[in-house]
Amino acid sequence: MGELPRPSHVYNRGRRNQAFVWVGIALSSITLLCLPAYWYSYTSSNTNHHIPANAAHVLGRCGELEFMPGPPVNFAGREQSDRFEAGTPPTIIHNATIWTGNHGGHEIVKGDVLLNKGLVRWVGGPYLQEAQSLYGSNLVIVDAKGAWVTPGIIDLHSHLGVDSAPELDGASDTNSVKGITQPNLKSLDGLNTHDDAFRLSISGGVTSVNVLPGSANAIGGQAFPIKLRTTTERSPSSKLIEQPGSPTSTGWRQMKHACGENPSRLYKGTRMDTMWAFRAAYNKARTLVHRQDKFCSAAKQGHWSSIRGEDFPEDLEWEALADVIRGKVKVHNHCYEAVDFDGIVRLTNEFKFPIAAFHHAHEAYLVPELIKKTWGKTPAIAMFAINARYKREAFRGSEFAARILSDNGLRVVTKSDHPVMNSRHLLFDAQQANYYGLNASLALASVTTTPADVLGLDHRIGYLRAGYDADLVIWDSHPLALGATPSQVFIDGIAQLTPAYVVAKPKSFQYLPATPNFDKEAAAAIKYEGLPPLIPRKKFQNVIFQNVNSVWSRVDGGVGIEKAFSAQPGSVGTVVVQNGKITCTGSCENFIEHGYTTLDLAGGSLAPGLATYGSPLGIAEIQGESSTQDGDVFDPLTGSVPSILGGDSSVIRAEDGLQFATRDAELAYISGVTTAITAPAHSGVFSGYSTFFSTGAAHKLEKGAVLRHTTALHVTIGYSSNGSPSVSTQIATLRRLLLGGGEGDLKAAFATVTDGDIPLVVSAESADVIATLVHLKKEVETSTGKALKLTISGAAEAHLLAAELGVADIGIILSPVRPFPSQWQQRRILPGPPLTEQSAVSALIAHNVTVGLAVQEAWESRNARFDAAWVALEAGLSDKQALSLVSSNLEKLLGAKVSSEEADIVAYHGGDIFERSSKVVGVISPRRSLVDLF
């Protein structure tokens, strides 16, 4: 592409804000010059007329009311960013593939990007020789070697710094509970610059975030867009994108609103109460606006006698909300359902103010025309790509929402709600939106240009243009390729990753990945208002899969995985299924298609069904609704257990509380995750027996619904602020039970553990606790003379003891898959590339530790194949090893063995199990003697 225009070397120093600053002075001067005329005119008719001494100040304040936010005049002509750090050298990123964000996200430039004084100076080129002649030896040259470069990622919805990591009582500043409407509060006042997530989020390419107050209140307070890098000043204010008092500031303010369940829950009210609270607050703000306008009208007309003795009307509590009505504030409205959108839309039209974006907005895709009725410009929709069903108002959320909204002309933003989702991996959400149908350019825009526009900052961030802030990311692969990781991040022209650890990716990862067609599913999501039927009721017994590229199968009694068939280049194979069992793989020329259902996999593959663990999948439908859950078990260490249950000796079985055909279980099933292991929910030390079940079964009595009634015994050992006994008390209790203590069912349960019949699964995070468990295992084995099957789940700090765990033969289930220091006992994570050379998985596997992957929330279960593929890329694992992480390894560690003959096989159309081009189209179930086709 041709050379882009360069910034001019002659700059117009005029600034819109400077003009505004001078408004008061100008008005004051005019007032003073006109005083004789005022005096002569009015004294001739009214000897009591008086011009106050503060007239210039009053007129200046009135002039401020008329100022509208926006970029200063010729902002792009800046010679230096107001955020420039002295001593930052000029840098040129040479030989890059640049996604600029221009032309609706369709412009891709091959060339260079020059950064200097905190700004992007040139984009295009080549400019290397010219830059070298201009800056000489001061120029830092980064050879991108053709790598993708994008604007820095912008997270429109974050609580980074106010909901800090690790979570500690002394740094919990997300929500005030002092009132349902508090527009006067500022998230900046609680911004913790020591939050561990700053560094982690930067390593994911995030350069700017909008720090919002929480959603406990209808009006939670003012938000502040910041940049994530550490500044020389090290203060919260120095992180602000628009520096206080800077002549380059737009004047835009940001504010958080919330409707629906959250305010109702905290204030024990209803949606009616919340909407009244909104109206009452806005009425106060409107009253203030009317008072100010009336006062200023009199002042500007020279009717000083009518306002004699009055001060300019001010109210610190409501002035920010008055600015909302004046159109000077970007309102970010947490809102989920049609009923809540309707209320807010009516509110905006009553009080005449715009909404910048509806956040979360799980039902927005069902009511796009309603959203368009909002007063002023149609709001953007800031959303999760697939995170849904965690509470009732999110229950109808759809993975196709982003695509549907875009098709209806609404702007889409993907956001993290950090730390709800780790903003380090915000790009993955954009990738998921793209996988389920959102246009690739719009998917990238959803974390760059669109949030910049929503914030009113698209004149300085969100694009790679001359004159824009020098915030950009160099990626190790195409940014929409799974696992795309920064090799360098620049904020204000300053490199943030020193050093950066880069993993070599296959060449194919440098190209935009193909994605499946989900037209039928998206249409069904609308037709059924977010709850389309997921698992077909019609079953097949005999199916022929054609154009098969590869087949993976379970071997060695189910504990191993091997590639059973791989088509030769230029050819494909056939797989015949009879009565739910594969009877032929390869050419299968002797089979006649009569009586068989035929399905073309278009170069797809067959692979073992995956397993999931760690979430309440199967024992809870909606985590925020207790009536949809099995509930927590009694814990003998934290309270009494009813005697009718057996008192302290009782042991609970998850199988007894199983719920089948939940939305998340069915979504997991049609995503290739055909089985799950779930333990009883608990909030203390003791959980109980886990169970192994089919995610595709309609009910417990269906054939093959429960694969294994009890699989492992589960406990939790760790530090807690919820009143649990000390860690030493928890360990002492566990030791006593493992050495034969206890009574009744509890004693018997631990006997099965010490006899080696089932694993003991201990949820633990801290390396100190894990080290104690290593000692305890050896102590018990010495006492009993038998090998103890011990698995540790969670295991955030297990990598620190990788060698010891390998020697002790202790398995590890990592949860979450991508580590994050949510708690103090998780703070020593191994984050992986680009921050560390090794990941937790690679460190553990290097010491022969058996590793499985788990999730924390039920909606995540469907992502197993993407989780495994991403981990494999970072750790350098084979496809076979990756598959094992979410199947045979997980089953082994949890005592959930399945035989080779009964293991599910999943059919993928359009690619293999780990390719983003592939889509699950069927499940072969030998134990049920049938095939489900989707």
Side-chain angles (χ1 to χ4, degrees):
M1 191 165 290
E3 179 177 330
L4 298 179
R6 303 185 193 180
S8 170
H9 293 288
V10 180
Y11 297 93
N12 182 342
R13 300 297 293 171
R15 295 287 188 263
R16 180 171 182 173
N17 277 36
Q18 288 176 325
F20 164 62
V21 169
W22 286 99
V23 165
I25 297 174
L27 288 172
S28 302
S29 301
I30 293 171
T31 302
L32 292 173
L33 288 171
C34 293
L35 280 178
Y38 274 131
W39 182 257
Y40 177 81
S41 171
Y42 284 109
T43 52
S44 64
S45 60
N46 185 357
T47 57
N48 294 322
H49 183 78
H50 173 69
I51 299 176
N54 68 339
H57 172 74
V58 167
L59 292 173
R61 290 299 308 274
C62 292
E64 292 176 10
L65 300 181
E66 299 175 0
F67 164 76
M68 290 304 295
V73 175
N74 199 25
F75 177 89
R78 296 177 297 167
E79 292 181 347
Q80 176 176 303
S81 170
D82 51 349
R83 294 184 46 81
F84 173 63
E85 293 271 5
T88 303
T91 300
I92 189 166
I93 293 94
H94 173 58
N95 188 24
T97 305
I98 309 159
W99 186 87
T100 64
N102 297 326
H103 307 311
H106 295 291
E107 181 182 67
I108 297 172
V109 176
K110 299 280 190 177
D112 305 336
V113 182
L114 178 68
L115 314 177
N116 190 33
K117 295 189 176 180
L119 302 176
V120 174
R121 304 314 302 258
W122 303 338
V123 178
Y127 293 131
L128 180 58
Q129 289 186 350
E130 191 171 350
Q132 286 176 315
S133 65
L134 186 61
Y135 298 109
S137 60
N138 291 327
L139 180 69
V140 175
I141 302 172
V142 179
D143 187 355
K145 299 179 180 178
W148 286 89
V149 173
T150 70
I153 289 177
I154 302 166
D155 192 350
L156 187 65
H157 186 133
S158 177
H159 305 293
L160 197 157
V162 293
D163 195 348
S164 298
E167 181 182 351
L168 294 168
D169 290 343
S172 179
D173 291 289
T174 315
N175 287 294
S176 168
V177 294
K178 302 298 183 182
I180 193 169
T181 53
Q182 299 186 80
N184 50 307
L185 301 186
K186 298 181 177 182
S187 66
L188 184 66
D189 294 332
L191 190 70
N192 172 20
T193 58
H194 303 296
D195 189 333
D196 285 357
F198 280 107
R199 172 174 171 262
L200 294 171
S201 294
I202 289 172
S203 75
V206 181
T207 56
S208 301
V209 304
N210 188 30
V211 181
L212 291 159
S215 55
N217 304 315
I219 302 178
Q222 298 166 52
F224 289 82
I226 66 169
K227 295 196 183 184
L228 299 191
R229 71 172 177 86
T230 300
T231 63
T232 303
E233 186 178 295
R234 293 187 173 88
S235 68
S237 293
S238 66
K239 288 183 174 293
L240 294 173
I241 293 178
E242 297 198 316
Q243 293 294 295
S246 171
T248 63
S249 173
T250 61
W252 279 116
R253 306 170 81 175
Q254 317 284 329
M255 187 177 291
K256 177 69 175 292
H257 286 10
C259 51
E261 292 183 24
N262 286 17
S264 296
R265 187 179 298 114
L266 179 64
Y267 292 97
K268 295 179 171 45
T270 66
R271 283 176 165 79
M272 294 182 290
D273 295 304
T274 300
M275 288 310 302
W276 169 246
F278 271 124
R279 294 186 68 225
Y282 269 98
N283 190 52
K284 291 178 181 178
R286 184 169 59 184
T287 299
L288 178 60
V289 168
H290 289 168
R291 287 176 55 212
Q292 290 174 339
D293 289 349
K294 180 180 179 181
F295 180 91
C296 289
S297 176
K300 285 185 285 186
Q301 294 181 57
H303 299 163
W304 297 105
S305 59
S306 66
I307 54 174
R308 181 180 299 173
E310 296 183 31
D311 293 324
F312 178 83
E314 291 185 284
D315 191 326
L316 279 178
E317 185 174 1
W318 301 106
E319 60 85 18
L321 205 61
D323 265 2
V324 172
I325 294 175
R326 294 189 185 279
K328 301 183 179 187
V329 181
K330 300 285 190 177
V331 175
H332 301 270
N333 202 147
H334 161 121
C335 202
Y336 282 78
E337 293 188 89
V339 61
D340 298 314
F341 295 134
D342 193 69
I344 295 297
V345 166
R346 285 186 279 109
L347 183 75
T348 67
N349 283 285
E350 179 181 1
F351 291 95
K352 304 294 185 295
F353 69 92
I355 300 289
F358 281 119
H359 290 239
H360 302 305
H362 281 63
E363 290 190 14
Y365 74 100
L366 296 174
V367 290
E369 296 308 312
L370 171 61
I371 302 298
K372 294 175 184 178
K373 292 181 179 179
T374 307
W375 194 89
K377 185 177 180 179
T378 300
I381 304 298
M383 57 182 295
F384 298 128
I386 66 170
N387 184 353
R389 296 168 297 282
Y390 46 87
K391 55 181 176 177
R392 192 201 66 83
E393 60 188 6
F395 193 65
R396 294 177 186 268
S398 171
E399 61 270 41
F400 309 110
R403 171 250 180 96
I404 295 168
L405 288 163
S406 175
D407 289 347
N408 281 275
L410 277 76
R411 294 168 296 153
V412 173
V413 173
T414 49
K415 47 75 181 171
S416 73
D417 194 13
H418 180 95
V420 172
M421 292 177 63
N422 180 1
S423 66
R424 176 186 179 187
H425 304 301
L426 176 56
L427 184 63
F428 180 54
D429 232 41
Q431 293 169 0
Q432 291 289 74
N434 172 236
Y435 177 78
Y436 288 108
L438 182 63
N439 171 275
S441 296
L442 295 178
L444 284 176
S446 75
V447 290
T448 53
T449 60
T450 308
D453 173 60
V454 172
L455 290 168
L457 297 173
D458 55 324
H459 61 293
R460 67 181 295 170
I461 61 174
Y463 294 84
L464 286 178
R465 294 172 175 170
Y468 273 57
D469 289 11
D471 302 344
L472 60 82
V473 185
I474 306 174
W475 299 96
D476 67 357
S477 51
H478 190 287
L480 290 180
L482 181 67
T485 302
S487 59
Q488 190 53 267
V489 178
F490 290 87
I491 303 179
D492 299 322
I494 303 172
Q496 299 297 304
L497 304 177
T498 51
Y501 297 94
V502 181
V503 175
K505 301 282 180 68
K507 186 177 180 179
S508 60
F509 277 65
Q510 298 304 321
Y511 301 98
L512 174 67
T515 55
N517 185 304
F518 287 105
D519 290 350
K520 181 181 71 173
E521 292 87 345
I526 299 172
K527 177 181 177 180
Y528 292 96
E529 297 192 358
L531 302 176
L534 296 173
I535 298 181
R537 300 277 69 91
K538 185 177 181 181
K539 311 295 182 181
F540 301 84
Q541 288 183 313
N542 303 320
V543 177
I544 296 178
F545 293 100
Q546 297 178 329
N547 289 326
V548 180
N549 189 56
S550 62
V551 177
W552 291 85
S553 62
R554 303 291 286 262
V555 295
D556 300 330
V559 297
I561 295 175
E562 294 290 348
K563 181 172 279 190
F565 168 79
S566 183
Q568 297 300 313
S571 66
V572 288
T574 298
V575 174
V576 177
V577 179
Q578 294 177 302
N579 295 317
K581 292 180 173 60
I582 295 177
T583 56
C584 180
T585 301
S587 59
C588 303
E589 295 175 352
N590 296 327
F591 281 86
I592 302 173
E593 295 183 10
H594 180 70
Y596 287 80
T597 299
T598 303
L599 187 63
D600 187 338
L601 292 188
S605 67
L606 299 177
L610 306 181
T612 184
Y613 167 73
S615 77
L617 188 73
I619 57 172
E621 177 79 276
I622 305 173
Q623 285 189 259
E625 294 287 343
S626 59
S627 65
T628 72
Q629 305 173 26
D630 180 42
D632 283 359
V633 303
F634 292 102
D635 189 271
L637 268 184
T638 58
S640 61
V641 180
S643 58
I644 194 171
L645 186 60
D648 292 352
S649 66
S650 62
V651 181
I652 305 303
R653 299 170 184 258
E655 180 194 9
D656 296 334
L658 276 180
Q659 301 176 35
F660 287 86
T662 64
R663 296 297 295 181
D664 282 310
E666 292 189 342
L667 285 165
Y669 187 73
I670 66 172
S671 300
V673 183
T674 62
T675 58
I677 302 97
T678 296
H682 68 294
S683 56
V685 174
F686 290 96
S687 172
Y689 287 118
S690 53
T691 190
F692 188 30
F693 66 98
S694 169
T695 56
H699 54 77
K700 187 183 294 184
L701 300 182
E702 185 178 286
K703 182 181 178 181
V706 178
L707 285 75
R708 192 176 178 91
H709 301 290
T710 58
T711 58
L713 188 63
H714 295 253
V715 299
T716 296
I717 305 292
Y719 306 94
S720 174
S721 59
N722 66 0
S724 293
S726 67
V727 167
S728 51
T729 300
Q730 297 170 43
I731 292 290
T733 303
L734 185 58
R735 177 186 291 111
R736 176 175 176 271
L737 293 169
L738 286 170
L739 293 176
E743 298 176 350
D745 291 344
L746 188 62
K747 181 182 179 72
F750 275 89
T752 62
V753 169
T754 54
D755 286 342
D757 296 333
I758 65 172
L760 175 65
V761 180
V762 181
S763 176
E765 305 287 356
S766 165
D768 301 303
V769 172
I770 295 171
T772 300
L773 292 171
V774 172
H775 279 303
L776 181 58
K777 181 178 188 289
K778 184 176 181 180
E779 179 183 346
V780 172
E781 290 175 337
T782 300
S783 175
T784 64
K786 300 176 182 178
L788 178 67
K789 296 177 182 177
L790 178 60
T791 297
I792 298 173
S793 67
E797 297 183 353
H799 62 93
L800 296 171
L801 302 167
E804 291 81 0
L805 291 166
V807 171
D809 192 24
I810 296 175
I812 295 294
I813 299 175
L814 294 171
S815 177
V817 175
R818 292 169 286 280
F820 182 74
S822 296
Q823 304 169 22
W824 184 259
Q825 59 187 341
Q826 300 169 322
R827 70 191 184 281
R828 294 177 289 182
I829 63 169
L830 188 64
L835 293 177
T836 59
E837 186 173 8
Q838 282 193 311
S839 67
V841 171
S842 64
L844 290 164
I845 288 179
H847 291 279
N848 298 313
V849 177
T850 301
V851 178
L853 303 180
V855 297
Q856 295 180 312
E857 296 186 51
W859 66 267
E860 298 175 286
S861 301
R862 68 188 307 184
N863 279 342
R865 68 182 177 116
F866 295 131
D867 288 341
W870 191 343
V871 165
L873 282 169
E874 286 190 343
L877 305 183
S878 66
D879 286 353
K880 175 181 174 179
Q881 288 174 304
L883 271 169
S884 299
L885 292 172
V886 286
S887 58
S888 56
N889 282 11
L890 202 55
E891 294 159 2
K892 174 186 175 182
L893 294 171
L894 294 165
K897 183 178 179 181
V898 59
S899 70
S900 304
E901 295 75 21
E902 293 188 339
D904 294 327
I905 300 292
V906 178
Y908 295 88
H909 178 276
D912 72 28
I913 180 174
F914 295 132
E915 290 182 320
R916 275 172 49 90
S917 60
S918 68
K919 169 186 178 181
V920 175
V921 292
V923 174
I924 304 168
S925 180
R927 65 180 176 274
R928 293 187 291 156
S929 303
L930 55 81
V931 180
D932 281 321
L933 297 181
F934 310 134

